[in-house]
Amino acid sequence: MARPFSSESAFRAVAHPTRRRILELVSRKPQSVAALVAECRHGQPTVSRHLRVLYQARLIAFRGRGAKHMYEVVPGSLRTMRQWLDGVPVLTGQRRASRS
């Protein structure tokens, strides 16, 4: 059974540099596993495990194209993360007045 989307699972998914690289690549255009293996310089089992984490976090989706699965970013999937990041004062350049 698929787990419901949570921003926590999305943040955990993007915590790994290889998964961030995969997200960058599939955000440009749909990618096959073979293309991701070549770009990430990891073996197919490793890339597949990273893809599974991103898929379970609902950040990417795949569709069959012949014998290949093409992976792509789920539109709007990073919106919740961006909204949270935009609300963090240190990251937005806004600081709250200190209480003295």
Side-chain angles (χ1 to χ4, degrees):
M1 176 178 278
R3 294 185 320 184
F5 173 80
S6 77
S7 58
E8 181 180 341
S9 63
F11 277 107
R12 285 183 182 192
V14 299
H16 196 283
T18 300
R19 291 193 287 266
R20 289 192 303 269
R21 177 71 177 136
I22 289 171
L23 271 175
E24 289 173 18
L25 293 167
V26 299
S27 70
R28 293 184 188 134
K29 68 177 185 174
Q31 300 279 333
S32 67
V33 175
L36 293 169
V37 166
E39 282 289 328
C40 294
R41 297 190 176 134
H42 291 293
Q44 185 272 327
T46 300
V47 170
S48 291
R49 280 192 299 274
H50 287 302
L51 288 167
R52 187 177 318 114
V53 171
L54 292 167
Y55 177 78
Q56 289 174 339
R58 296 189 180 179
L59 297 176
I60 63 170
F62 67 90
R63 55 188 160 79
R65 183 180 286 172
K68 292 183 181 179
H69 281 112
M70 300 298 287
Y71 289 85
E72 58 194 3
V73 170
V74 172
S77 62
L78 299 173
R79 186 175 302 126
T80 302
M81 293 173 62
R82 178 178 290 287
Q83 289 171 341
W84 182 86
L85 290 168
D86 287 344
V88 176
V90 173
L91 299 175
T92 60
Q94 304 169 357
R95 298 222 182 231
R96 295 181 185 161
S98 63
R99 297 182 191 188
S100 302

Coordinates of all heavy atoms in Angstrom, one line a residue:
M1 N 0.8 -1.2 0.0 CA 0.0 0.0 0.0 C 0.9 1.2 0.0 O 1.9 1.3 0.7 CB -0.9 0.0 1.2 CG -1.7 1.2 1.3 SD -2.9 1.2 2.8 CE -4.2 0.3 2.1
A2 N 0.5 2.2 -0.8 CA 1.3 3.5 -0.9 C 1.2 4.3 0.4 O 0.1 4.4 0.9 CB 0.9 4.3 -2.1
R3 N 2.3 4.9 0.8 CA 2.2 5.7 2.0 C 1.7 7.1 1.5 O 2.0 7.6 0.4 CB 3.6 5.9 2.6 CG 4.1 4.6 3.1 CD 5.4 4.7 3.8 NE 6.3 5.6 3.1 CZ 7.6 5.9 3.5 NH1 8.1 5.3 4.5 NH2 8.3 6.7 2.8
P4 N 1.0 7.8 2.4 CA 0.5 9.1 2.1 C 1.7 10.1 2.0 O 2.7 9.8 2.7 CB -0.4 9.5 3.3 CG 0.0 8.6 4.4 CD 0.5 7.4 3.7
F5 N 1.5 11.1 1.2 CA 2.6 12.1 1.1 C 2.8 12.8 2.4 O 1.9 13.2 3.1 CB 2.3 13.2 0.0 CG 3.3 14.3 0.0 CD1 4.5 14.1 -0.7 CD2 3.0 15.5 0.6 CE1 5.4 15.1 -0.7 CE2 4.0 16.5 0.6 CZ 5.1 16.3 -0.1
S6 N 4.1 13.0 2.8 CA 4.4 13.9 3.9 C 5.6 14.7 3.6 O 6.5 14.2 2.9 CB 4.6 13.0 5.2 OG 5.9 12.4 5.1
S7 N 5.7 15.9 4.0 CA 6.9 16.7 3.7 C 8.1 16.1 4.4 O 9.2 16.3 3.9 CB 6.6 18.2 4.2 OG 6.3 18.2 5.6
E8 N 7.9 15.4 5.5 CA 9.0 14.8 6.2 C 9.7 13.7 5.3 O 10.9 13.7 5.2 CB 8.6 14.1 7.5 CG 9.7 13.5 8.2 CD 9.3 12.8 9.5 OE1 8.2 13.1 10.1 OE2 10.1 12.0 10.0
S9 N 8.9 12.9 4.6 CA 9.5 11.9 3.7 C 10.1 12.6 2.5 O 11.1 12.1 2.0 CB 8.4 10.9 3.3 OG 7.4 11.5 2.5
A10 N 9.6 13.7 2.1 CA 10.2 14.4 1.0 C 11.6 15.0 1.4 O 12.5 14.9 0.7 CB 9.3 15.5 0.5
F11 N 11.6 15.6 2.6 CA 12.9 16.1 3.1 C 13.9 15.0 3.3 O 15.1 15.1 2.9 CB 12.7 16.9 4.4 CG 12.3 18.3 4.2 CD1 11.0 18.7 4.5 CD2 13.1 19.2 3.7 CE1 10.6 20.0 4.3 CE2 12.7 20.6 3.5 CZ 11.4 20.9 3.8
R12 N 13.5 13.8 3.8 CA 14.4 12.7 3.9 C 14.9 12.2 2.5 O 16.0 11.9 2.4 CB 13.7 11.6 4.6 CG 13.6 11.8 6.1 CD 13.0 10.7 6.8 NE 12.9 11.0 8.2 CZ 12.6 10.1 9.2 NH1 12.4 8.8 8.8 NH2 12.4 10.5 10.4
A13 N 14.0 12.2 1.6 CA 14.4 11.8 0.2 C 15.4 12.7 -0.4 O 16.3 12.2 -1.0 CB 13.1 11.7 -0.7
V14 N 15.3 14.0 -0.2 CA 16.3 14.9 -0.8 C 17.5 15.1 0.0 O 18.4 15.9 -0.3 CB 15.7 16.2 -1.2 CG1 14.5 16.0 -2.2 CG2 15.2 17.0 0.0
A15 N 17.6 14.4 1.2 CA 18.8 14.6 2.0 C 20.0 14.0 1.4 O 21.2 14.4 1.7 CB 18.5 13.9 3.4
H16 N 19.9 13.0 0.5 CA 21.0 12.3 -0.1 C 21.4 13.0 -1.4 O 20.6 13.3 -2.2 CB 20.6 10.9 -0.4 CG 21.8 10.0 -0.6 ND1 22.5 10.0 -1.8 CD2 22.5 9.1 0.2 CE1 23.5 9.2 -1.7 NE2 23.5 8.6 -0.5
P17 N 22.7 13.3 -1.6 CA 23.2 14.0 -2.8 C 22.9 13.3 -4.1 O 22.6 14.0 -5.1 CB 24.7 14.2 -2.6 CG 25.1 13.3 -1.4 CD 23.8 13.0 -0.7
T18 N 22.9 12.0 -4.1 CA 22.6 11.3 -5.3 C 21.1 11.5 -5.7 O 20.8 11.7 -6.9 CB 22.9 9.8 -5.2 OG1 24.3 9.6 -5.0 CG2 22.5 9.0 -6.5
R19 N 20.2 11.5 -4.7 CA 18.8 11.7 -5.0 C 18.6 13.1 -5.5 O 17.7 13.4 -6.3 CB 18.0 11.3 -3.8 CG 18.0 9.8 -3.6 CD 16.9 9.3 -2.6 NE 17.2 9.7 -1.2 CZ 17.8 8.9 -0.3 NH1 18.2 7.7 -0.7 NH2 18.0 9.3 0.9
R20 N 19.3 14.1 -4.9 CA 19.2 15.5 -5.4 C 19.6 15.6 -6.8 O 19.0 16.2 -7.6 CB 20.0 16.4 -4.5 CG 19.3 16.6 -3.1 CD 19.9 17.8 -2.4 NE 21.4 17.7 -2.2 CZ 22.0 17.1 -1.2 NH1 21.3 16.6 -0.2 NH2 23.3 17.1 -1.1
R21 N 20.7 14.9 -7.2 CA 21.2 14.9 -8.5 C 20.1 14.2 -9.5 O 19.9 14.8 -10.6 CB 22.5 14.1 -8.6 CG 23.1 14.0 -10.0 CD 23.6 15.3 -10.5 NE 24.2 15.1 -11.8 CZ 23.9 15.9 -12.9 NH1 23.2 17.0 -12.7 NH2 24.5 15.7 -14.0
I22 N 19.5 13.1 -9.1 CA 18.5 12.5 -9.9 C 17.3 13.5 -10.1 O 16.8 13.6 -11.2 CB 18.0 11.2 -9.2 CG1 19.1 10.1 -9.3 CG2 16.7 10.7 -9.8 CD1 18.9 8.9 -8.5
L23 N 16.9 14.2 -9.0 CA 15.8 15.1 -9.1 C 16.2 16.2 -10.1 O 15.3 16.7 -10.9 CB 15.5 15.8 -7.8 CG 14.5 15.1 -7.0 CD1 14.3 15.7 -5.6 CD2 13.1 15.0 -7.6
E24 N 17.4 16.7 -10.1 CA 17.8 17.7 -11.0 C 17.7 17.2 -12.5 O 17.2 17.9 -13.4 CB 19.3 18.1 -10.8 CG 19.5 19.0 -9.5 CD 21.0 19.2 -9.2 OE1 21.8 19.0 -10.1 OE2 21.3 19.5 -8.1
L25 N 18.2 16.0 -12.7 CA 18.2 15.4 -14.0 C 16.8 15.2 -14.6 O 16.5 15.6 -15.7 CB 19.0 14.1 -14.0 CG 20.5 14.2 -13.8 CD1 21.1 12.9 -13.5 CD2 21.2 14.9 -15.0
V26 N 15.9 14.6 -13.7 CA 14.6 14.3 -14.2 C 13.7 15.6 -14.3 O 12.7 15.6 -14.9 CB 13.9 13.2 -13.4 CG1 14.6 11.9 -13.5 CG2 13.6 13.6 -12.0
S27 N 14.1 16.7 -13.6 CA 13.4 17.9 -13.7 C 13.6 18.6 -15.1 O 12.8 19.4 -15.5 CB 13.7 18.9 -12.6 OG 15.0 19.4 -12.8
R28 N 14.7 18.3 -15.7 CA 15.0 18.9 -17.0 C 14.2 18.1 -18.1 O 13.7 18.8 -19.1 CB 16.5 18.8 -17.3 CG 17.3 19.6 -16.4 CD 18.8 19.6 -16.8 NE 19.5 20.3 -15.7 CZ 20.6 19.9 -15.2 NH1 21.1 18.8 -15.5 NH2 21.2 20.6 -14.2
K29 N 14.2 16.8 -18.0 CA 13.5 16.0 -19.0 C 13.3 14.6 -18.4 O 14.2 14.2 -17.6 CB 14.2 16.0 -20.4 CG 15.5 15.2 -20.4 CD 16.1 15.2 -21.8 CE 17.3 14.4 -21.8 NZ 17.9 14.2 -23.1
P30 N 12.3 13.8 -18.9 CA 12.2 12.4 -18.4 C 13.5 11.7 -18.7 O 14.1 11.9 -19.8 CB 11.0 11.9 -19.2 CG 10.2 13.2 -19.5 CD 11.2 14.2 -19.7
Q31 N 13.8 10.8 -17.8 CA 15.1 10.0 -17.9 C 14.8 8.6 -17.7 O 14.0 8.2 -16.8 CB 16.1 10.5 -16.8 CG 16.5 11.9 -16.9 CD 17.6 12.2 -17.9 OE1 18.3 11.3 -18.3 NE2 17.6 13.4 -18.5
S32 N 15.6 7.7 -18.4 CA 15.5 6.3 -18.2 C 16.5 5.9 -17.1 O 17.4 6.7 -16.7 CB 15.9 5.5 -19.5 OG 17.3 5.8 -19.8
V33 N 16.3 4.7 -16.6 CA 17.3 4.3 -15.5 C 18.7 4.2 -16.1 O 19.6 4.6 -15.4 CB 16.8 2.9 -15.0 CG1 17.9 2.3 -14.0 CG2 15.5 2.9 -14.3
A34 N 18.8 3.7 -17.3 CA 20.1 3.7 -18.0 C 20.8 5.0 -18.0 O 22.0 5.2 -17.8 CB 20.0 3.0 -19.3
A35 N 20.0 6.0 -18.4 CA 20.6 7.4 -18.5 C 21.0 7.9 -17.1 O 22.1 8.6 -17.0 CB 19.6 8.3 -19.1
L36 N 20.2 7.6 -16.1 CA 20.5 8.0 -14.8 C 21.8 7.3 -14.2 O 22.6 7.9 -13.5 CB 19.3 7.8 -13.8 CG 18.1 8.7 -14.1 CD1 16.9 8.3 -13.4 CD2 18.4 10.2 -13.8
V37 N 21.9 6.0 -14.5 CA 23.1 5.3 -14.1 C 24.3 5.9 -14.7 O 25.3 6.1 -14.1 CB 22.9 3.8 -14.6 CG1 24.3 3.1 -14.5 CG2 21.9 3.1 -13.7
A38 N 24.3 6.3 -16.0 CA 25.4 6.9 -16.7 C 25.8 8.2 -16.1 O 26.9 8.5 -15.9 CB 25.1 7.0 -18.2
E39 N 24.7 9.0 -15.8 CA 25.0 10.4 -15.2 C 25.4 10.3 -13.8 O 26.3 11.1 -13.4 CB 23.7 11.2 -15.3 CG 23.4 11.8 -16.6 CD 24.4 12.9 -17.0 OE1 24.9 13.6 -16.2 OE2 24.7 13.0 -18.2
C40 N 24.9 9.4 -13.0 CA 25.2 9.4 -11.5 C 26.4 8.6 -11.2 O 27.0 8.6 -10.1 CB 24.0 8.8 -10.8 SG 22.6 9.9 -10.8
R41 N 26.9 7.8 -12.2 CA 28.1 6.9 -12.0 C 27.9 6.0 -10.8 O 28.9 5.8 -10.0 CB 29.3 7.8 -11.9 CG 29.6 8.6 -13.2 CD 30.9 9.2 -13.2 NE 31.1 9.8 -14.5 CZ 31.6 11.1 -14.6 NH1 31.9 11.8 -13.6 NH2 31.7 11.6 -15.8
H42 N 26.7 5.4 -10.7 CA 26.5 4.4 -9.7 C 25.9 3.2 -10.5 O 25.4 3.4 -11.6 CB 25.4 4.8 -8.7 CG 25.9 5.9 -7.7 ND1 26.9 5.7 -6.8 CD2 25.5 7.2 -7.6 CE1 27.1 6.8 -6.1 NE2 26.3 7.7 -6.6
G43 N 26.0 2.0 -9.9 CA 25.4 0.9 -10.5 C 23.9 0.9 -10.6 O 23.2 1.7 -9.8
Q44 N 23.3 0.1 -11.4 CA 21.8 0.1 -11.6 C 21.1 -0.2 -10.3 O 20.1 0.5 -10.0 CB 21.5 -0.8 -12.7 CG 20.0 -0.8 -13.1 CD 19.2 -1.8 -12.3 OE1 19.7 -2.9 -11.9 NE2 18.0 -1.5 -12.0
P45 N 21.5 -1.2 -9.5 CA 20.8 -1.4 -8.3 C 20.8 -0.2 -7.3 O 19.8 0.1 -6.7 CB 21.6 -2.6 -7.6 CG 22.2 -3.3 -8.8 CD 22.6 -2.2 -9.7
T46 N 21.9 0.5 -7.2 CA 22.0 1.7 -6.4 C 21.0 2.8 -6.9 O 20.3 3.4 -6.1 CB 23.4 2.2 -6.3 OG1 24.2 1.2 -5.8 CG2 23.5 3.4 -5.4
V47 N 21.1 3.0 -8.2 CA 20.2 4.1 -8.7 C 18.7 3.7 -8.5 O 17.9 4.5 -8.2 CB 20.5 4.3 -10.2 CG1 19.5 5.2 -10.9 CG2 21.9 5.0 -10.3
S48 N 18.4 2.4 -8.7 CA 17.0 1.9 -8.5 C 16.6 2.1 -7.1 O 15.4 2.5 -6.9 CB 16.9 0.5 -8.9 OG 17.1 0.3 -10.3
R49 N 17.4 1.9 -6.1 CA 17.1 2.1 -4.7 C 16.8 3.6 -4.5 O 15.8 4.0 -3.8 CB 18.2 1.6 -3.8 CG 18.1 0.1 -3.6 CD 19.0 -0.3 -2.4 NE 20.5 0.0 -2.6 CZ 21.3 -0.7 -3.2 NH1 21.0 -1.9 -3.7 NH2 22.6 -0.4 -3.3
H50 N 17.6 4.5 -5.0 CA 17.4 5.9 -4.9 C 16.1 6.3 -5.6 O 15.3 7.1 -5.0 CB 18.5 6.7 -5.5 CG 19.8 6.7 -4.6 ND1 19.8 7.1 -3.3 CD2 21.0 6.3 -4.9 CE1 21.0 7.0 -2.8 NE2 21.8 6.5 -3.7
L51 N 15.8 5.8 -6.7 CA 14.5 6.1 -7.4 C 13.3 5.6 -6.6 O 12.3 6.3 -6.5 CB 14.5 5.4 -8.8 CG 15.4 6.0 -9.9 CD1 15.6 5.1 -11.1 CD2 14.9 7.4 -10.3
R52 N 13.5 4.5 -5.9 CA 12.4 4.0 -5.1 C 12.1 4.9 -4.0 O 10.9 5.2 -3.7 CB 12.7 2.6 -4.6 CG 11.5 1.9 -3.8 CD 11.8 0.5 -3.3 NE 12.6 -0.3 -4.3 CZ 13.8 -0.8 -4.1 NH1 14.4 -0.5 -3.0 NH2 14.4 -1.5 -5.0
V53 N 13.1 5.5 -3.3 CA 12.9 6.4 -2.2 C 12.2 7.7 -2.8 O 11.3 8.2 -2.1 CB 14.3 6.8 -1.6 CG1 14.1 7.9 -0.6 CG2 14.9 5.6 -0.9
L54 N 12.6 8.2 -3.9 CA 12.0 9.4 -4.5 C 10.6 9.1 -4.9 O 9.7 10.0 -4.7 CB 12.8 9.9 -5.7 CG 14.2 10.4 -5.3 CD1 15.0 10.6 -6.6 CD2 14.1 11.8 -4.6
Y55 N 10.3 7.9 -5.4 CA 9.0 7.5 -5.8 C 8.1 7.4 -4.6 O 6.9 7.9 -4.6 CB 9.0 6.2 -6.6 CG 7.7 5.7 -7.0 CD1 7.0 6.3 -8.0 CD2 7.1 4.7 -6.3 CE1 5.7 5.8 -8.4 CE2 5.8 4.2 -6.6 CZ 5.2 4.7 -7.7 OH 3.9 4.3 -8.0
Q56 N 8.6 6.8 -3.5 CA 7.8 6.6 -2.3 C 7.5 7.9 -1.6 O 6.4 8.1 -1.0 CB 8.4 5.6 -1.4 CG 8.4 4.2 -1.9 CD 9.2 3.2 -1.0 OE1 10.1 3.6 -0.2 NE2 8.9 1.9 -1.1
A57 N 8.4 8.9 -1.8 CA 8.1 10.2 -1.3 C 7.2 11.0 -2.2 O 6.9 12.2 -1.9 CB 9.5 10.9 -1.0
R58 N 6.8 10.5 -3.3 CA 6.0 11.1 -4.3 C 6.6 12.3 -4.9 O 5.9 13.3 -5.3 CB 4.6 11.4 -3.7 CG 3.9 10.2 -3.3 CD 2.5 10.5 -2.9 NE 1.8 9.3 -2.5 CZ 0.5 9.2 -2.1 NH1 -0.2 10.3 -2.0 NH2 0.0 8.1 -1.8
L59 N 7.9 12.3 -5.1 CA 8.6 13.4 -5.8 C 8.8 13.1 -7.3 O 8.9 14.0 -8.0 CB 10.0 13.6 -5.1 CG 9.9 14.0 -3.7 CD1 11.3 14.1 -3.1 CD2 9.2 15.4 -3.5
I60 N 8.8 11.8 -7.6 CA 8.9 11.4 -9.0 C 7.9 10.4 -9.4 O 7.3 9.8 -8.5 CB 10.3 10.9 -9.4 CG1 10.6 9.6 -8.6 CG2 11.4 11.9 -9.1 CD1 11.9 8.9 -9.1
A61 N 7.6 10.3 -10.6 CA 6.7 9.2 -11.2 C 7.4 8.6 -12.3 O 8.4 9.1 -12.9 CB 5.4 9.9 -11.6
F62 N 6.9 7.4 -12.8 CA 7.4 6.8 -13.9 C 6.3 6.3 -14.8 O 5.2 6.1 -14.4 CB 8.4 5.7 -13.6 CG 7.7 4.5 -12.9 CD1 7.2 3.4 -13.7 CD2 7.6 4.4 -11.6 CE1 6.6 2.3 -13.1 CE2 6.9 3.3 -11.0 CZ 6.4 2.3 -11.7
R63 N 6.6 6.2 -16.1 CA 5.7 5.7 -17.1 C 6.5 4.8 -18.0 O 7.7 5.0 -18.2 CB 5.0 6.8 -17.8 CG 5.9 7.8 -18.5 CD 5.0 8.9 -19.1 NE 5.9 10.1 -19.3 CZ 6.7 10.3 -20.3 NH1 6.7 9.4 -21.3 NH2 7.4 11.3 -20.5
G64 N 5.8 3.8 -18.5 CA 6.4 2.8 -19.4 C 6.5 3.4 -20.8 O 5.6 4.0 -21.2
R65 N 7.6 3.3 -21.4 CA 7.8 3.6 -22.8 C 8.5 2.5 -23.4 O 9.8 2.4 -23.3 CB 8.6 4.9 -22.9 CG 8.7 5.4 -24.4 CD 9.5 6.6 -24.5 NE 8.7 7.8 -24.1 CZ 9.2 9.0 -23.9 NH1 10.5 9.2 -24.2 NH2 8.4 10.0 -23.6
G66 N 7.8 1.5 -24.0 CA 8.4 0.3 -24.5 C 8.9 -0.5 -23.4 O 8.2 -0.7 -22.4
A67 N 10.1 -0.9 -23.4 CA 10.7 -1.7 -22.4 C 11.3 -0.9 -21.3 O 11.8 -1.4 -20.3 CB 11.8 -2.6 -23.0
K68 N 11.3 0.5 -21.5 CA 11.9 1.4 -20.5 C 10.9 2.0 -19.6 O 9.8 2.2 -20.0 CB 12.7 2.5 -21.3 CG 13.8 2.1 -22.1 CD 14.5 3.4 -22.7 CE 15.7 3.0 -23.5 NZ 16.2 4.2 -24.1
H69 N 11.4 2.3 -18.4 CA 10.6 3.2 -17.6 C 11.2 4.6 -17.6 O 12.5 4.7 -17.5 CB 10.6 2.7 -16.1 CG 9.7 1.6 -15.8 ND1 10.2 0.3 -15.5 CD2 8.4 1.6 -15.8 CE1 9.1 -0.4 -15.3 NE2 8.0 0.3 -15.5
M70 N 10.4 5.6 -17.9 CA 10.9 7.0 -17.9 C 10.5 7.7 -16.6 O 9.3 7.6 -16.3 CB 10.4 7.7 -19.1 CG 10.8 7.0 -20.5 SD 12.6 7.0 -20.7 CE 12.9 8.7 -21.1
Y71 N 11.4 8.2 -15.9 CA 11.1 8.9 -14.7 C 11.1 10.4 -14.9 O 11.8 11.0 -15.7 CB 12.2 8.6 -13.6 CG 12.1 7.2 -13.2 CD1 12.7 6.1 -13.9 CD2 11.4 6.8 -12.0 CE1 12.6 4.8 -13.5 CE2 11.3 5.5 -11.6 CZ 11.9 4.5 -12.3 OH 11.8 3.2 -11.9
E72 N 10.1 11.1 -14.2 CA 10.0 12.5 -14.2 C 9.5 13.0 -12.9 O 9.0 12.3 -12.1 CB 9.0 12.9 -15.3 CG 7.6 12.2 -15.2 CD 6.8 12.3 -16.4 OE1 7.2 12.8 -17.4 OE2 5.6 11.9 -16.3
V73 N 9.7 14.3 -12.7 CA 9.3 15.0 -11.5 C 7.7 15.1 -11.5 O 7.1 15.4 -12.5 CB 9.9 16.4 -11.3 CG1 9.3 17.2 -10.2 CG2 11.4 16.3 -11.1
V74 N 7.1 14.8 -10.3 CA 5.7 15.0 -10.2 C 5.5 16.5 -10.1 O 6.1 17.2 -9.2 CB 5.2 14.3 -8.9 CG1 3.7 14.7 -8.7 CG2 5.3 12.8 -9.1
P75 N 4.7 17.1 -11.0 CA 4.4 18.6 -10.9 C 3.9 19.0 -9.5 O 3.0 18.4 -9.0 CB 3.4 18.8 -12.0 CG 3.5 17.7 -12.9 CD 3.9 16.5 -12.1
G76 N 4.5 20.0 -9.0 CA 4.1 20.6 -7.7 C 4.6 19.8 -6.5 O 4.3 20.2 -5.3
S77 N 5.3 18.7 -6.7 CA 5.7 17.9 -5.6 C 6.6 18.5 -4.6 O 6.7 18.2 -3.4 CB 6.3 16.6 -6.1 OG 7.5 16.8 -6.8
L78 N 7.4 19.5 -5.0 CA 8.3 20.2 -4.1 C 7.7 21.4 -3.5 O 8.4 22.1 -2.7 CB 9.6 20.5 -4.9 CG 10.4 19.3 -5.4 CD1 11.5 19.8 -6.3 CD2 10.9 18.5 -4.3
R79 N 6.5 21.7 -3.8 CA 5.8 23.0 -3.4 C 5.7 23.0 -1.8 O 6.1 24.1 -1.2 CB 4.4 23.1 -3.9 CG 3.7 24.4 -3.6 CD 2.4 24.5 -4.3 NE 2.5 24.4 -5.7 CZ 1.8 23.5 -6.5 NH1 1.0 22.7 -6.0 NH2 2.0 23.5 -7.8
T80 N 5.4 22.0 -1.2 CA 5.3 22.0 0.3 C 6.6 22.2 0.9 O 6.7 23.0 1.9 CB 4.7 20.6 0.8 OG1 3.5 20.4 0.2 CG2 4.6 20.6 2.3
M81 N 7.7 21.6 0.4 CA 9.0 21.9 0.9 C 9.4 23.3 0.7 O 9.9 24.0 1.6 CB 10.0 21.0 0.2 CG 9.8 19.5 0.5 SD 10.8 18.4 -0.4 CE 12.5 18.9 0.1
R82 N 9.1 23.9 -0.5 CA 9.5 25.3 -0.8 C 8.7 26.2 0.2 O 9.3 27.2 0.7 CB 9.2 25.6 -2.2 CG 9.5 27.1 -2.5 CD 9.3 27.5 -3.9 NE 10.2 26.9 -4.8 CZ 11.5 27.3 -5.0 NH1 12.0 28.2 -4.2 NH2 12.3 26.7 -5.8
Q83 N 7.4 25.9 0.4 CA 6.7 26.8 1.3 C 7.3 26.8 2.7 O 7.3 27.8 3.4 CB 5.2 26.3 1.3 CG 4.5 26.6 0.1 CD 3.1 26.0 0.0 OE1 2.8 25.0 0.7 NE2 2.2 26.5 -0.9
W84 N 7.7 25.6 3.2 CA 8.3 25.6 4.5 C 9.6 26.3 4.5 O 9.8 27.1 5.4 CB 8.5 24.1 4.9 CG 9.1 24.0 6.3 CD1 8.4 24.0 7.5 CD2 10.5 24.0 6.7 NE1 9.2 23.9 8.5 CE2 10.5 23.9 8.1 CE3 11.6 24.0 5.9 CZ2 11.7 23.9 8.8 CZ3 12.9 23.9 6.6 CH2 12.9 23.9 8.0
L85 N 10.4 26.1 3.5 CA 11.7 26.8 3.5 C 11.5 28.3 3.4 O 12.3 29.1 4.0 CB 12.5 26.3 2.3 CG 13.1 24.9 2.4 CD1 13.6 24.4 1.0 CD2 14.2 24.8 3.5
D86 N 10.5 28.8 2.6 CA 10.3 30.2 2.5 C 9.8 30.8 3.8 O 10.0 32.0 4.0 CB 9.2 30.5 1.4 CG 9.8 30.3 0.0 OD1 11.0 30.2 -0.2 OD2 9.0 30.2 -0.9
G87 N 9.3 30.0 4.7 CA 8.8 30.5 6.0 C 9.9 30.5 7.1 O 9.7 31.1 8.1
V88 N 11.1 30.0 6.8 CA 12.2 30.0 7.8 C 12.9 31.4 7.7 O 13.5 31.7 6.7 CB 13.2 28.9 7.5 CG1 14.3 28.9 8.5 CG2 12.4 27.5 7.6
P89 N 12.8 32.2 8.7 CA 13.3 33.5 8.7 C 14.8 33.6 8.2 O 15.2 34.5 7.5 CB 13.2 34.1 10.1 CG 12.0 33.2 10.7 CD 12.2 31.9 10.0
V90 N 15.6 32.8 8.7 CA 17.1 32.8 8.4 C 17.3 32.7 6.9 O 18.1 33.3 6.3 CB 17.9 31.8 9.2 CG1 19.3 31.7 8.7 CG2 17.8 32.1 10.7
L91 N 16.5 31.8 6.3 CA 16.6 31.5 4.9 C 16.0 32.6 4.0 O 16.5 32.8 2.9 CB 16.0 30.2 4.5 CG 16.5 28.9 5.2 CD1 15.7 27.7 4.9 CD2 18.0 28.7 4.9
T92 N 15.1 33.3 4.5 CA 14.4 34.4 3.7 C 15.0 35.7 3.9 O 14.6 36.7 3.3 CB 12.9 34.4 4.0 OG1 12.7 34.7 5.4 CG2 12.2 33.1 3.7
G93 N 16.0 35.8 4.9 CA 16.6 37.1 5.1 C 15.8 38.0 6.1 O 16.1 39.1 6.4
Q94 N 14.7 37.4 6.7 CA 13.9 38.1 7.6 C 14.2 37.6 9.0 O 14.2 36.4 9.2 CB 12.4 37.9 7.3 CG 12.0 38.4 6.0 CD 10.6 37.9 5.6 OE1 10.0 37.2 6.4 NE2 10.2 38.3 4.4
R95 N 14.5 38.4 9.9 CA 14.8 38.0 11.3 C 13.7 38.6 12.2 O 13.3 39.7 12.0 CB 16.1 38.5 11.8 CG 17.2 37.9 10.9 CD 18.3 37.5 11.8 NE 19.4 37.0 11.0 CZ 20.0 35.9 11.3 NH1 19.6 35.1 12.3 NH2 21.0 35.4 10.5
R96 N 13.3 37.8 13.1 CA 12.3 38.3 14.1 C 13.1 39.2 15.1 O 14.2 39.0 15.4 CB 11.7 37.1 14.8 CG 10.9 36.3 13.9 CD 10.2 35.2 14.7 NE 9.5 34.3 13.7 CZ 9.2 33.1 13.9 NH1 9.4 32.5 15.1 NH2 8.6 32.4 13.0
A97 N 12.4 40.1 15.6 CA 12.9 41.0 16.6 C 13.2 40.2 17.9 O 12.4 39.4 18.3 CB 12.0 42.1 17.0
S98 N 14.4 40.4 18.4 CA 14.8 39.6 19.6 C 14.1 40.2 20.8 O 13.9 41.4 20.9 CB 16.3 39.6 19.8 OG 16.8 40.9 20.0
R99 N 13.8 39.4 21.8 CA 13.2 39.8 23.0 C 14.3 40.1 24.1 O 15.0 39.2 24.4 CB 12.2 38.8 23.6 CG 11.1 38.5 22.6 CD 10.1 37.5 23.3 NE 9.2 37.1 22.3 CZ 8.1 36.3 22.5 NH1 7.9 35.9 23.8 NH2 7.3 36.0 21.6
S100 N 14.3 41.3 24.5 CA 15.3 41.6 25.6 C 14.7 42.1 26.8 O 13.7 42.7 26.8 CB 16.3 42.6 25.1 OG 17.0 42.1 23.9

